C-alpha cells in the first residue's frame, strides 16, 4: 500500500497527530520526511484537514466537533476533562483516554449517545500538550520500584532502569514521564527529585508545592534585584511629598511569630465623641515597580502560601521582612487610609495619602487581649505605654462597628481553623482549635473598613480596579444546605429563593451552643460561592457590602499591590482616560491570575494540613477519643474530634448486618435498630493514618473505653 493510502486509512480510523503518523510510518529521517510530504499533499488536496495539530479526514466532519479540554481527574478506568472555558466537564471511559494524564491539554469528541442519559461522555482524540512532570510515591511491587502518582493513586508506572535517582520504597518523589505508551500504565518515568519518606508531613508538603511549581527560592534575577534592598532604610529624600505621620502613636498587632508586617493602626477620639481611625499599610508599590523582575515574579506567584509553620513568600525577605515590613521603631513608607467616624461608629469621611510612619511597638494579639481584659502585669503594661491610651477608644469603636455589622446581617461563621504544633524536627505533635480574641476581631474589622473605602474610592473615581467579589449561593448549593437544615430540624423558610445573609445569620445564632452548631457552620461555609477577584464591582454577599477590595496586605497578595499602584496614579492626578488606557487590561489580568493562584494556594494549604493531622494521628494509634459525627454517607461516618482532627468510620465496622442511609443524616441498622445520627457523639479508636494521602481511619471504640 502506498504511503498516501496508509496515512489516509489511518486518519479515517482515528484522528492522528504528526507524532502518531511518524510512529506508525516513519522511523528514520528519510521516512519521517516522506510522511510529512504526504501529509502536506493530502492537506493541499483537501483530503484531510488539521485542527490544533490533529489531522482529520475532511469528509468525516469530526474536526468541527472536536473540543479543546484539559484532563482534570484520572481514575483506574476513567477520566474527566474540563472544557477550555471551564464551563463543564466530560466523562471519558478508560479505553478512550489515550494514555492522557492530569494537566494534559487534549482534543475531545463527545459521544452522540452517552450511556447515561443527560450526561456528557466522549473520547480523547489526541493529546495536544503533555504535562510530564508528576509528583507521587515510590512503591516496590513485584520486585520492582513503581511510581504511583498523587493525582491518580489507582495507577502505577514503571521506573526506567538507571533513572531511579536513589529513590527507595515509600519515598515521596517528583518524576518526568520519559516514554509515553497507549495506556497510563505503559508510561515510563524517571525520578527528577527525591523529597524523603512519605510518612513525614513536611516531605509531603514540599512535594505539594513542587507539583504546582511553587518554589521557596526565587530566580537569580529576582534575587539580584532584591539584594539591592539589603538592610535598606528610609531616607529623607524618600519622605519628600509624603504626609508625615511620625507623631501619631501608630502600632502593629499580629501573631507573635509574624515577620512580614504590612498593616498598622492609630486611633484618636474627636471632641464631638467621634473617632479618627488610621489604617497604615506598607507602601510596597514604592519598591516593586512595573516591568521589574520583582514585579513579574510577584504577579506570577500572586500570593504567599502558608502551611504549618512555613511560608513561601510572594516577595523576597529583603522586602517582606525588611524594608516593607512595618517593624517597630524604624521609619517606613506607608499608604494610609485616614477615616472619620461619628460617635456611633458610622463612617463619615475618608482619604488616602502616601505617608511616612514609625511604629511605636510590635503588638501581639494575646498581649493586647490581656490588656483589654485588664489582667496584664506591669511588664506588659510598660511595653505598650506609648499606645495604651488608644486601647479603650479602640474597644469602644469596635463595639459600635460590631453592632453595625450585625445590623446589616453579616454572618459570623466559625472557620474551624486549627493550629498545628510541631517539634524541632518539624513533625506534628499536637493539633489545637484556633481561638480568636477581641483584638483579632478588632483588627479584622478595621482592615475591612479600609478595604471598603478603597473599593468606594475606585467606584467614585470610575477607574480600573481589582475588586473582591462574592456572589450569592447558587441553587444547587442552596438545595444541599436545605437538606442539611431540614435533617437537623431547622426551619429554613426564606422570603425569597435566595436567602439574605441576615436570614442565614439568624439560623447560625439559633443553633449556637447546640450539637448541630459546628455541622451547620460547615454546611454554611460549603454553601457559599467562592470569593474571587474581578475588574468589575459586583458586591460582596457575605459581608453585605456594595463594593469591596483587598487593600491591606500588599506584602502577601498581589491584588493589594496592584490597587496600590492604580490608586497612586490616581492620587498623582492622572486623568481618567489615561487611567483606563493604562490599567484596564492590567486589572483584568491581575484578577484572573490572582483568583487562579489563590485556589491553588488554598488547595496546597488544605492538603498539607491533612498530611500533618495524619502525622499527629499516627502518634496516637490505638488510643480512644470522643468525637462528633460530622458527615454521614452510605460508606460510613465522618467523625471530628474536639481538636479538629477528622477521620472516617467504615459502615462495615459499625455492624455486620448492613446499614441503611436516611436523608444524608442518619445510618441505621435495620436488624438491631441502632442509629448513628449527624451531630451525635461517639467514642472512637484511631486505627490507621496515611500521612501521604492525609487520611485517618477510626473504628468504634470497645465498650471498655466508653466507660
Amino acid at each position: 500500500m502506498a504511503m498516501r493510502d496508509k496515512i489516509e486509512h489511518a486518519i479515517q480510523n482515528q484522528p492522528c497527530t504528526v507524532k502518531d503518523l511518524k510512529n506508525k510510518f516513519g522511523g528514520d529521517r528519510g521516512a519521517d520526511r516522506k510522511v510529512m510530504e504526504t501529509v502536506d499533499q493530502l492537506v493541499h488536496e483537501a483530503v484531510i484537514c488539521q485542527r490544533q495539530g490533529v489531522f482529520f479526514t475532511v469528509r468525516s466532519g469530526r474536526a468541527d466537533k472536536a473540543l479543546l479540554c484539559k484532563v482534570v481527574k484520572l481514575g483506574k478506568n476513567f477520566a474527566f476533562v474540563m472544557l477550555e472555558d471551564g464551563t463543564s466537564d466530560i466523562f471519558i471511559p478508560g479505553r478512550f483516554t489515550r494514555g492522557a494524564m492530569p494537566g494534559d491539554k487534549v482534543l475531545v469528541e463527545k459521544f452522540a449517545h452517552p450511556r447515561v442519559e443527560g450526561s456528557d461522555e466522549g473520547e480523547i482524540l489526541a493529546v495536544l500538550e503533555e504535562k510530564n512532570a508528576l509528583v507521587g510515591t515510590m512503591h516496590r511491587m513485584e520486585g520492582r520500584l513503581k511510581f504511583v502518582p498523587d493525582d491518580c493513586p489507582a495507577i502505577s508506572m514503571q521506573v526506567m532502569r538507571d533513572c531511579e535517582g536513589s529513590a527507595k520504597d515509600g519515598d515521596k518523589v517528583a518524576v518526568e514521564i520519559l516514554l509515553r505508551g497507549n495506556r497510563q500504565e505503559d508510561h515510563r518515568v524517571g525520578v527528577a527529585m527525591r523529597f524523603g519518606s512519605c510518612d513525614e508531613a513536611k516531605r509531603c508538603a514540599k512535594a505539594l508545592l513542587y507539583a504546582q511549581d511553587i518554589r521557596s527560592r526565587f530566580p537569580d534575577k529576582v534575587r539580584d534585584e532584591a539584594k539591592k534592598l539589603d538592610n535598606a532604610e528610609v531616607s529623607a529624600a524618600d519622605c519628600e511629598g509624603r504626609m508625615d505621620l511620625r507623631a501619631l502613636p501608630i502600632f502593629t498587632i499580629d501573631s507573635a511569630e509574624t515577620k512580614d508586617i504590612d498593616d498598622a493602626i492609630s486611633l484618636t477620639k474627636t471632641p464631638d465623641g467621634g473617632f479618627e481611625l488610621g489604617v497604615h499599610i506598607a507602601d510596597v508599590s514604592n519598591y516593586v515597580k512595573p516591568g521589574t523582575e520583582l514585579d513579574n515574579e510577584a504577579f506570577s506567584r500572586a500570593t504567599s502560601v502558608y502551611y504549618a509553620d512555613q511560608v513561601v513568600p510572594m516577595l523576597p525577605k529583603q522586602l517582606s521582612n525588611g524594608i516593607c515590613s512595618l517593624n517597630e521603631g524604624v521609619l517606613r513608607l506607608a499608604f494610609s487610609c485616614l477615616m472619620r467616624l461619628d460617635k456611633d461608629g458610622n463612617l463619615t469621611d475618608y482619604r488616602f495619602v502616601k505617608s511616612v510612619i514609625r511604629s511605636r511597638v510590635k503588638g501581639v494579639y494575646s498581649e493586647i487581649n490581656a490588656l483589654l481584659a485588664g489582667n496584664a502585669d506591669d511588664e506588659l503594661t510598660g511595653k505598650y505605654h506609648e499606645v495604651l491610651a488608644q486601647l479603650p477608644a479602640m474597644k469602644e469603636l469596635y463595639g459600635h462597628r460590631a453592632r453595625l455589622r450585625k445590623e446589616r446581617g453579616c454572618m459570623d461563621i466559625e472557620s474551624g481553623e486549627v493550629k498545628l504544633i510541631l517539634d524541632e524536627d518539624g513533625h506534628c505533635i499536637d493539633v489545637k482549635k484556633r481561638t480568636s480574641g477581641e483584638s483579632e476581631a478588632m483588627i479584622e474589622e478595621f482592615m475591612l473598613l479600609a478595604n471598603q473605602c478603597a473599593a468606594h474610592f475606585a467606584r467614585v473615581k470610575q477607574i480600573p480596579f481589582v475588586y473582591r467579589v462574592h456572589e450569592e449561593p447558587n441553587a444547587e448549593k442552596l438545595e444541599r444546605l436545605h437538606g442539611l437544615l431540614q435533617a437537623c430540624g431547622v426551619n429554613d423558610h426564606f422570603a425569597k429563593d435566595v436567602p439574605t445573609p441576615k436570614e442565614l445569620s439568624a439560623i447560625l445564632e439559633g443553633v449556637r451552643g447546640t450539637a448541630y452548631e459546628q455541622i451547620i457552620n460547615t454546611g454554611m461555609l460549603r454553601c457559599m460561592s467562592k470569593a474571587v477577584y474581578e475588574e468589575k464591582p459586583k458586591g460582596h454577599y457575605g459581608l453585605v457590602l456594595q463594593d469591596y477590595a483587598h487593600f491591606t496586605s500588599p506584602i502577601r497578595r498581589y491584588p493589594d499591590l496592584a490597587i496600590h499602584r492604580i490608586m497612586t496614579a490616581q492620587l498623582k492626578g492622572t486623568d481618567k482616560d489615561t487611567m483606563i488606557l493604562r490599567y484596564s487590561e492590567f486589572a483584568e489580568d491581575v484578577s484572573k491570575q490572582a483568583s487562579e493562584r489563590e485556589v491553588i494556594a488554598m488547595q496546597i494549604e488544605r492538603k498539607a494540613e491533612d498530611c500533618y493531622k495524619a502525622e499527629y494521628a499516627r502518634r496516637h494509634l490505638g488510643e480512644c477519643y470522643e468525637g462528633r459525627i460530622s458527615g454521614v454517607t452510605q460508606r460510613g461516618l465522618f467523625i471530628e474530634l474536639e481538636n479538629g482532627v477528622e477521620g472516617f468510620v467504615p459502615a462495615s465496622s459499625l455492624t455486620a448486618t448492613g446499614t441503611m442511609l436516611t436523608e444524608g443524616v442518619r445510618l441505621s441498622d435495620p436488624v438491631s435498630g441502632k442509629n448513628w445520627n449527624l451531630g451525635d457523639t461517639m467514642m472512637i479508636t484511631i486505627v490507621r493514618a496515611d500521612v501521604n494521602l492525609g487520611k485517618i481511619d477510626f473504628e468504634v471504640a470497645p465498650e471498655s473505653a466508653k466507660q
Side-chain angles (χ1 to χ4, degrees):
M1 189 183 293
M3 178 67 75
R4 175 190 177 94
D5 296 329
K6 289 180 182 177
I7 290 175
E8 187 178 353
H9 181 72
I11 296 172
Q12 279 177 348
N13 290 333
Q14 175 69 50
C16 298
T17 64
V18 169
K19 182 181 177 182
D20 294 333
L21 294 171
K22 284 182 177 179
N23 287 340
K24 287 182 179 182
F25 308 117
D28 56 45
R29 292 178 75 178
D32 287 351
R33 186 170 62 250
K34 190 172 181 180
V35 168
M36 290 307 301
E37 289 172 352
T38 306
V39 168
D40 289 343
Q41 185 64 31
L42 288 167
V43 171
H44 180 72
E45 295 175 10
V47 175
I48 63 175
C49 62
Q50 182 189 172
R51 177 160 184 213
Q52 298 290 325
V54 181
F55 293 95
F56 303 78
T57 55
V58 170
R59 59 178 176 269
S60 72
R62 299 180 73 181
D64 295 333
K65 300 175 185 176
L67 302 167
L68 287 171
C69 298
K70 184 177 183 179
V71 181
V72 292
K73 187 175 183 179
L74 181 65
K76 180 71 173 175
N77 298 303
F78 70 90
F80 279 98
V81 300
M82 181 71 69
L83 289 176
E84 193 178 35
D85 60 8
T87 53
S88 64
D89 57 19
I90 302 170
F91 177 80
I92 312 292
R95 64 194 180 98
F96 297 112
T97 63
R98 288 180 68 90
M101 298 297 297
D104 283 356
K105 289 186 179 179
V106 294
L107 208 58
V108 172
E109 182 180 27
K110 288 201 287 189
F111 295 150
H113 304 288
R115 292 174 301 175
V116 180
E117 189 175 349
S119 69
D120 285 335
E121 297 182 18
E123 68 172 305
I124 293 175
L125 302 176
V127 177
L128 305 176
E129 291 183 25
E130 299 173 350
K131 184 179 182 295
N132 288 321
L134 303 171
V135 171
T137 311
M138 302 296 283
H139 291 286
R140 189 162 294 280
M141 305 176 186
E142 301 170 355
R144 289 204 61 182
L145 273 181
K146 289 195 175 183
F147 169 75
V148 177
D150 286 346
D151 288 337
C152 34
I155 292 167
S156 62
M157 303 174 191
Q158 286 192 19
V159 183
M160 294 186 72
R161 297 194 185 277
D162 301 322
C163 296
E164 297 177 352
S166 304
K168 303 188 296 291
D169 183 30
D171 273 354
K172 200 78 179 178
V173 296
V175 303
E176 289 285 333
I177 299 177
L178 303 176
L179 183 66
R180 286 206 174 208
N182 294 322
R183 304 179 307 145
Q184 288 81 9
E185 290 87 348
D186 297 333
H187 300 338
R188 299 292 183 263
V189 304
V191 176
M193 181 170 290
R194 176 175 170 264
F195 299 101
S197 172
C198 68
D199 289 332
E200 292 188 70
K202 63 181 180 181
R203 309 294 184 188
C204 297
K206 288 193 179 294
L208 289 169
L209 293 166
Y210 186 94
Q212 295 293 345
D213 200 28
I214 296 173
R215 306 287 188 262
S216 297
R217 182 181 173 89
F218 287 87
D220 289 344
K221 289 182 179 179
V222 177
R223 296 172 70 215
D224 289 343
E225 283 188 1
K227 281 179 183 177
K228 297 174 183 176
L229 295 169
D230 270 330
N231 304 313
E233 296 180 356
V234 175
S235 66
D238 294 328
C239 300
E240 290 180 7
R242 290 176 174 265
M243 181 177 285
D244 192 342
L245 300 179
R246 282 174 284 187
L248 282 179
I250 294 170
F251 69 113
T252 64
I253 309 178
D254 284 283
S255 303
E257 58 271 18
T258 300
K259 296 178 181 177
D260 51 347
I261 306 171
D262 47 17
D263 58 84
I265 55 169
S266 59
L267 185 67
T268 56
K269 291 286 296 277
T270 59
D272 61 356
F275 306 85
E276 289 186 352
L277 171 66
V279 171
H280 314 278
I281 307 301
D283 191 4
V284 179
S285 65
N286 184 78
Y287 300 98
V288 181
K289 302 293 188 183
T292 61
E293 296 293 336
L294 275 169
D295 186 52
N296 293 339
E297 184 69 14
F299 174 86
S300 176
R301 296 185 177 220
T303 181
S304 296
V305 181
Y306 297 86
Y307 67 96
D309 62 344
Q310 300 293 308
V311 57
V312 182
M314 184 181 77
L315 296 169
K317 63 181 182 181
Q318 290 90 343
L319 290 93
S320 61
N321 299 357
I323 190 62
C324 291
S325 185
L326 305 182
N327 298 327
E328 178 182 354
V330 294
L331 285 186
R332 286 292 183 259
L333 304 183
F335 203 158
S336 297
C337 180
L338 305 177
M339 294 163 277
R340 293 184 68 90
L341 301 100
D342 64 21
K343 60 183 177 59
D344 297 317
N346 297 294
L347 181 69
T348 59
D349 194 18
Y350 69 84
R351 61 172 173 155
F352 288 93
V353 298
K354 290 298 188 85
S355 60
V356 56
I357 67 170
R358 178 186 284 113
S359 173
R360 304 299 177 91
V361 62
K362 182 189 177 190
V364 177
Y365 286 128
S366 58
E367 295 174 351
I368 299 292
N369 287 334
L371 289 164
L372 290 169
N375 49 24
D377 58 24
D378 291 344
E379 183 181 353
L380 197 59
T381 304
K383 173 183 172 180
Y384 290 92
H385 73 278
E386 289 190 80
V387 300
L388 272 179
Q390 296 182 79
L391 295 186
M394 286 173 59
K395 187 169 183 173
E396 182 186 351
L397 177 57
Y398 171 67
H400 292 310
R401 294 300 305 176
R403 172 181 54 77
L404 291 170
R405 190 171 180 174
K406 188 174 181 178
E407 285 176 0
R408 71 173 190 265
C410 277
M411 290 175 288
D412 185 18
I413 302 179
E414 295 289 334
S415 66
E417 291 183 1
V418 301
K419 182 176 176 63
L420 304 170
I421 311 299
L422 310 185
D423 64 16
E424 59 186 14
D425 295 319
H427 299 138
C428 188
I429 57 173
D430 202 2
V431 180
K432 296 180 179 179
K433 280 280 185 74
R434 283 194 184 274
T435 55
S436 291
E438 194 168 16
S439 68
E440 289 94 332
M442 189 183 297
I443 293 300
E444 181 185 357
E445 180 60 32
F446 296 163
M447 296 302 120
L448 187 150
L449 194 55
N451 287 336
Q452 190 180 343
C453 290
H456 184 266
F457 174 91
R459 180 188 276 272
V460 170
K461 301 295 184 182
Q462 296 183 316
I463 57 177
F465 215 59
V466 181
Y467 294 92
R468 186 65 167 174
V469 170
H470 185 223
E471 298 191 82
E472 62 187 26
N474 62 35
E476 184 182 346
K477 288 183 176 180
L478 285 173
E479 186 61 33
R480 286 203 294 269
L481 178 63
H482 171 74
L484 173 66
L485 295 174
Q486 289 290 301
C488 296
V490 176
N491 184 353
D492 66 339
H493 293 296
F494 306 122
K496 297 181 179 178
D497 290 342
V498 178
T500 65
K502 200 165 195 173
E503 288 174 320
L504 295 180
S505 187
I507 288 174
L508 288 172
E509 192 61 37
V511 299
R512 204 167 303 283
T514 71
Y516 293 122
E517 179 181 0
Q518 188 54 55
I519 294 160
I520 290 177
N521 258 278
T522 303
M524 287 271 188
L525 274 173
R526 290 172 179 169
C527 158
M528 294 295 115
S529 299
K530 172 75 179 74
V532 296
Y533 297 102
E534 291 193 17
E535 67 276 16
K536 302 292 183 185
K538 295 181 181 178
H540 198 292
Y541 176 85
L543 295 174
V544 201
L545 292 172
Q546 183 183 10
D547 303 313
Y548 193 63
H550 278 165
F551 169 82
T552 55
S553 296
I555 289 176
R556 63 182 180 90
R557 291 189 306 229
Y558 195 86
D560 306 54
L561 170 58
I563 69 171
H564 279 212
R565 188 173 294 162
I566 293 169
M567 292 172 72
T568 299
Q570 177 66 31
L571 292 175
K572 287 180 177 178
T574 306
D575 65 87
K576 183 179 173 182
D577 289 343
T578 303
M579 292 291 294
I580 292 171
L581 186 64
R582 185 183 296 171
Y583 293 114
S584 291
E585 188 176 350
F586 174 64
E588 186 177 347
D589 291 343
V590 171
S591 298
K592 184 175 184 293
Q593 173 73 358
S595 294
E596 290 175 357
R597 298 306 299 179
E598 181 184 45
V599 170
I600 291 169
M602 289 175 65
Q603 289 172 343
I604 290 171
E605 290 164 10
R606 187 164 55 248
K607 289 178 180 177
E609 183 177 284
D610 288 342
C611 293
Y612 280 100
K613 286 178 177 177
E615 186 175 59
Y616 159 80
R618 277 177 68 98
R619 302 171 70 94
H620 299 276
L621 294 177
E623 296 180 15
C624 299
Y625 299 90
E626 184 178 70
R628 189 175 299 278
I629 300 175
S630 57
V632 180
T633 71
Q634 187 65 63
R635 296 187 305 108
L637 308 172
F638 288 96
I639 312 294
E640 184 176 320
L641 307 184
E642 188 178 359
N643 62 359
V645 171
E646 189 175 61
F648 186 72
V649 178
S652 57
S653 73
L654 296 172
T655 174
T657 54
T659 56
M660 182 173 65
L661 179 66
T662 306
E663 296 178 348
V665 296
R666 182 181 300 111
L667 271 184
S668 308
D669 178 359
V671 177
S672 68
K674 186 170 178 58
N675 296 318
W676 295 270
N677 300 293
L678 191 67
D680 287 352
T681 59
M682 61 186 294
M683 294 295 294
I684 57 88
T685 304
I686 303 175
V687 292
R688 278 177 298 277
D690 189 324
V691 178
N692 182 49
L693 297 178
K695 292 184 177 180
I696 304 167
D697 289 329
F698 298 153
E699 285 183 359
V700 179
E703 288 298 322
S704 58
K706 301 176 185 178
Q707 297 170 359

